């Protein structure tokens, strides 16, 4: 995918293509028959969280930090996080999406099911 110019239509087309590719990849990961194992060691945020969270298995360490930095600056969470946050107990996913809060411990990640 290559941006071809400065026109708004080109930018819209480029953004649409990128988002379509992301959504297709996340759906493919979620539907895999073979085990998909994500090692979430250190900072896992944005699209990396989407890639990690849609697989069957996630391995976290004491250094894992989950964040959605786009939420901190007032942007909407991407589809990867939005889908995963629906599985979180209570309204934790909504709280993270609105506040940009981070999950900092393995125990919290297990509790939130992220």
């Amino acid at each position: 995918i290559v941006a071809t110019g400065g026109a708004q239509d080109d930018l819209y087309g480029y953004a649409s293509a990128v988002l379509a590719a992301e959504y297709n990849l996340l759906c493919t990961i979620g539907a895999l028959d073979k085990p998909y194992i994500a090692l979430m060691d250190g900072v896992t945020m944005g699209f990396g969280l989407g890639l990690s969270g849609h697989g069957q298995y996630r391995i976290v360490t004491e250094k894992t930090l989950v964040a959605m930095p786009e939420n901190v600056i007032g942007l909407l969470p991407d589809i990867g996080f939005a889908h995963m946050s629906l599985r979180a107990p209570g309204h934790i996913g909504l709280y993270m999406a609105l506040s940009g809060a981070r999950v900092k411990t393995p125990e919290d990640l297990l509790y939130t099911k992220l």
Side-chain angles (χ1 to χ4, degrees):
I1 302 171
V2 177
T4 58
Q8 188 168 353
D9 288 341
D10 288 344
L11 183 58
Y12 177 77
Y14 176 72
S16 295
V18 168
L19 291 175
E22 175 186 353
Y23 301 157
N24 287 332
L25 178 59
L26 296 179
C27 289
T28 301
I29 290 171
L32 286 174
D33 291 333
K34 295 183 180 182
Y36 180 90
I37 302 169
L39 178 58
M40 299 166 63
D41 183 37
V43 178
T44 306
M45 59 182 170
F47 185 58
L49 181 56
L51 285 174
S52 303
H54 285 73
Q56 297 169 333
Y57 304 101
R58 291 173 296 284
I59 299 172
V60 298
T61 69
E62 66 281 352
K63 297 185 286 183
T64 302
L65 169 76
V66 170
M68 292 301 297
E70 57 267 36
N71 299 354
V72 175
I73 61 172
L75 298 176
L76 296 173
D78 74 351
I79 190 65
F81 175 76
H83 176 74
M84 292 181 336
S85 68
L86 293 174
R87 299 182 299 198
H91 298 286
I92 293 172
L94 177 63
Y95 172 74
M96 289 180 69
L98 293 175
S99 69
R102 298 174 178 186
V103 179
K104 299 178 183 179
T105 67
E107 294 82 10
D108 290 340
L109 280 167
L110 289 172
Y111 178 76
T112 60
K113 300 179 183 175
L114 296 175

